[in-house]
Amino acid sequence: MTQTTDRNILSLRNVSKRFGGLSVITDVSFDVPAGARMALIGPNGAGKTTIFNLISGFYQPNEGEILLESRAIQGIPSRKRIGLGVARSFQNIRLMPHLSVVENVMLGQQARAGGILDMLKPLSLFGRSAWHREAEQLLADMDLPTYPGEVVATLPYGVRKKIEVVRALAARPKLLLLDEPAAGLNAAETDNLTAFLKRISETGVTLLVVEHDMGLVRRLCDDAVVLNFGRKIYDGPTATVQDNPLVLEAYLGPRHASKDRQGAAHVA
Amino acid sequence: MSGYWTGILTILSINVIMAYAIFLPVATGQLNLGGAGFQALGAYTAAFLSAVAGQSAWATIPAAMAVGGVVSMAIAFPLLRTRGVYLVLATFAFAEVVAGAILNTSELGGAMGLSVPEYLDYPVPIIAAILVTLFVFYLMATRFGLTMRACHDDDVVTDLLGVSIRGVRVAAFAIGGALAGLAGALYAHTFSFVEIQSFNASLSIYVLLYVLLGGTQSALGPLFGAAFFTLLPEVLRAVLPQVKGALAGLFGIQGALSPPDESWRFVILGVLTVLMMMYRSEGLITRTLIERLKPGRHPASATVEEASA
């Protein structure tokens, strides 16, 4: 197990999370290889966002280990994890509504601006600083050049979704956690987003994506981990995920299971 | 310049500095209703050093800022564990504790107050207010200012982006305390007399109003708020008798009338405050307003904004 972790950017080892008496995550283990585009899927309430919250440090696991490049990170405070290379987006957009687009992206650079000097140098007072120009360049590279000065609250939903991903990218992460990036987008916007995420992946960033849109998952991700009621029920190629009986049962209910048909016959 | 106008400019300058002292914590999402307490710390530090120790204003003003800054930093750690209305109450209680302590300290004059021998004329507070304004504008343009505004909007995400929320909030609170100390020292030296009754709850409330009604999203807000609320009563003082006279003339009434007498300007001030809270709860100066007023803006973006608002 330990030999293979070198090629994995992220590994969960027997991770469990309980809230009081409620087990939300039970004994989940999986590996995310460096450079992969992996999906984390499952029905509502399966624990996908909880896994993200455990990785980003918002929650602490009750049991198990979370390894980032073979290093256990579960004891490291949330605000230090972005500096180790884990950035994320959120299910409902959580950009700073009163900041402009460029300011949001500059906030994403925070993990790389540690010192007090960086904190006290003007970002844009008499002309734009290097940070400011870098943020504008990143937005331009991601085809979002027209908005920089705009206050975020005034922008369309699909654009804000992309800006949130760009903000996470500004930290130059190794691993990017995307929580339902396509939620609320129409078909054209989803296509656009898929291409956008593929381009990010080509720069060497590992993607772990929680998503309900199976079309996007199939086009973007080679591998998938499927959760149901906090347990892992599938871990393998995305191409065969829909042939797996456990996955079908999780999504479509137990009517496909033979046991159930016998039960129905018995009642009849 | 007449004594009336220099007096108003002095008060305006002190109010602007106080508004920025409260603006800094409010910009990080921490309401501070203890402004009078921090100002009293600075005023009494300066008054004591000037009257008892015979120090010059070159020493008393920095000392007042240091006391304001150090005390607010020390209390920031326990204080900023509380949130929302509890923080407001805690800061308010702090101001009451300061007032009670000064009232019961005979070295500080107790209820009698202290006279301050060294007098500073109005240019000093004006220059200080300009410097403080420039300093806050500079601060808000730095990455520290960016993280302050981010803490205000969403502290959970700001933490995940690698910002030490506590560090930013304590720093903003402490810098605010130092500015309140400066405002207090200037008050002591320009009014030549300090008594604890001047640093009462309504001062704390007024200063917080300057900030909230001026707007907390940009450093322009407190400047406008302080100017508006300092100058409006004076404008009403001049305008109200004429309005009253005109109205009375309209109804054919002669001679002295009461009410409305001069004190009614505070009623009008109160009504205007309520109206502003109802119709412009984010403050007079908002980011979208600034963006809209920038030259070369395309009108299309304004329509998007109206639609989403």
Side-chain angles (χ1 to χ4, degrees):
Chain A
M1 192 187 284
T2 40
Q3 300 96 301
T4 59
T5 47
D6 290 336
R7 282 181 285 118
N8 295 325
I9 188 153
L10 179 80
S11 300
L12 269 67
R13 294 269 170 269
N14 311 103
V15 170
S16 295
K17 176 65 188 173
R18 291 182 295 273
F19 293 113
L22 184 69
S23 281
V24 183
I25 299 294
T26 312
D27 199 26
V28 168
S29 303
F30 64 87
D31 296 317
V32 182
R37 299 196 292 248
M38 194 180 240
L40 184 60
I41 56 180
N44 283 325
K48 308 178 293 288
T49 298
T50 306
I51 294 270
F52 270 20
N53 285 337
L54 287 166
I55 298 170
S56 57
F58 198 51
Y59 302 144
Q60 296 299 313
N62 294 96
E63 278 131 40
E65 277 190 317
I66 300 167
L67 304 173
L68 185 74
E69 297 182 308
S70 312
R71 175 182 175 189
I73 59 164
Q74 68 267 18
I76 294 174
S78 51
R79 78 180 152 87
K80 300 216 166 126
R81 294 195 191 187
I82 193 163
L84 300 174
V86 190
R88 68 172 289 183
S89 73
F90 296 85
Q91 203 170 331
N92 9 337
I93 303 173
R94 291 182 75 169
L95 290 166
M96 309 303 168
H98 296 124
L99 300 187
S100 73
V101 173
V102 167
E103 284 169 336
N104 267 286
V105 176
M106 287 194 293
L107 197 61
Q109 301 164 336
Q110 182 66 30
R112 296 189 286 125
I116 188 117
L117 263 178
D118 267 329
M119 288 298 271
L120 293 181
K121 257 188 259 168
L123 289 170
S124 41
L125 196 61
F126 310 106
R128 293 165 298 172
S129 64
W131 290 111
H132 196 289
R133 286 197 302 273
E134 186 203 294
E136 283 188 339
Q137 188 58 49
L138 185 60
L139 283 163
D141 290 347
M142 293 297 159
D143 289 328
L144 291 163
T146 47
Y147 309 103
E150 212 107 12
V151 177
V152 161
T154 64
L155 293 172
Y157 185 82
V159 176
R160 279 186 280 154
K161 276 252 156 186
K162 282 170 95 176
I163 293 166
E164 200 187 32
V165 177
V166 173
R167 178 178 71 182
L169 279 180
R172 301 213 177 124
K174 298 167 191 159
L175 171 65
L176 187 54
L177 309 174
L178 300 168
D179 200 346
E180 299 199 21
L185 300 187
N186 63 32
E189 284 173 325
T190 305
D191 283 346
N192 186 301
L193 183 83
T194 313
F196 176 73
L197 295 179
K198 274 188 175 158
R199 261 169 52 212
I200 292 170
S201 165
E202 278 154 17
T203 64
V205 179
T206 308
L207 301 181
L208 181 61
V209 186
V210 164
E211 187 51 67
H212 281 298
D213 183 336
M214 282 308 289
L216 185 144
V217 169
R218 270 196 301 273
R219 276 176 290 153
L220 183 68
C221 303
D222 312 312
D223 295 290
V225 169
V226 186
L227 295 177
N228 193 27
F229 293 115
R231 290 173 194 273
K232 187 176 82 174
I233 57 171
Y234 179 86
D235 187 352
T238 316
T240 56
V241 68
Q242 277 167 323
D243 304 329
N244 185 291
L246 280 172
V247 174
L248 285 176
E249 189 182 317
Y251 272 95
L252 303 172
R255 64 199 157 94
H256 290 266
S258 53
K259 188 174 57 178
D260 214 51
R261 240 177 274 142
Q262 283 168 0
H266 180 75
V267 170
Chain B
M1 228 180 315
S2 74
Y4 171 70
W5 277 106
T6 58
I8 295 211
L9 282 176
T10 303
I11 296 170
L12 177 62
S13 303
I14 292 171
N15 284 347
V16 166
I17 297 172
M18 269 314 283
Y20 280 125
I22 302 304
F23 166 74
L24 291 177
V26 172
T28 67
Q30 312 291 305
L31 286 188
N32 184 347
L33 195 55
F38 294 104
Q39 195 180 348
L41 281 177
Y44 271 86
T45 303
F48 181 80
L49 287 179
S50 183
V52 180
Q55 298 291 320
S56 84
W58 290 107
T60 62
I61 292 176
M65 291 180 73
V67 169
V70 168
V71 170
S72 50
M73 188 191 267
I75 66 158
F77 283 97
L79 216 56
L80 296 184
R81 283 182 180 278
T82 58
R83 286 175 161 275
V85 71
Y86 300 100
L87 177 70
V88 174
L89 285 177
T91 53
F92 184 77
F94 167 77
E96 293 302 308
V97 168
V98 170
I102 290 171
L103 201 56
N104 291 297
T105 307
S106 52
E107 287 78 12
L108 295 175
M112 304 284 289
L114 271 181
S115 352
V116 186
E118 188 172 350
Y119 173 68
L120 294 176
D121 210 353
Y122 69 94
V124 180
I126 291 174
I127 291 166
I130 291 170
L131 289 177
V132 167
T133 306
L134 292 176
F135 169 72
V136 174
F137 268 91
Y138 158 79
L139 203 61
M140 296 313 283
T142 62
R143 185 169 282 282
F144 176 71
L146 180 67
T147 54
M148 276 174 62
R149 289 187 281 148
C151 291
H152 175 275
D153 277 4
D154 190 334
D155 52 359
V156 172
V157 172
T158 306
D159 170 83
L160 286 177
L161 289 172
V163 178
S164 165
I165 304 288
R166 167 150 297 195
V168 169
R169 285 188 168 156
V170 168
F173 203 83
I175 298 170
L179 292 183
L182 170 65
L186 292 170
Y187 178 93
H189 282 294
T190 51
F191 284 76
S192 299
F193 184 70
V194 291
E195 55 174 346
I196 195 62
Q197 289 88 334
S198 326
F199 307 101
N200 54 21
S202 71
L203 174 65
S204 298
I205 293 167
Y206 263 104
V207 173
L208 189 57
L209 270 184
Y210 300 158
V211 175
L212 293 183
L213 297 180
T216 59
Q217 294 170 12
S218 134
L220 275 175
L223 191 63
F224 272 77
F228 185 77
F229 281 99
T230 311
L231 299 180
L232 183 67
E234 304 307 322
V235 171
L236 287 176
R237 191 207 295 276
V239 170
L240 202 59
Q242 293 168 17
V243 173
K244 196 174 73 171
L247 279 176
L250 212 61
F251 292 104
I253 305 166
Q254 301 286 322
L257 278 178
S258 133
D261 66 359
E262 203 191 46
S263 63
W264 273 66
R265 63 204 169 100
F266 289 104
V267 176
I268 294 174
L269 186 68
V271 169
L272 279 176
T273 307
V274 172
L275 286 177
M276 268 184 71
M277 289 204 158
M278 282 168 67
Y279 295 108
R280 207 152 172 92
S281 54
E282 290 200 311
L284 207 58
I285 312 288
T286 57
R287 283 297 300 264
T288 36
L289 179 76
I290 295 169
E291 286 294 320
R292 213 185 295 177
L293 293 178
K294 269 185 189 165
R297 295 279 305 166
H298 43 102
S301 65
T303 4
V304 176
E305 179 192 305
E306 305 296 352
S308 67

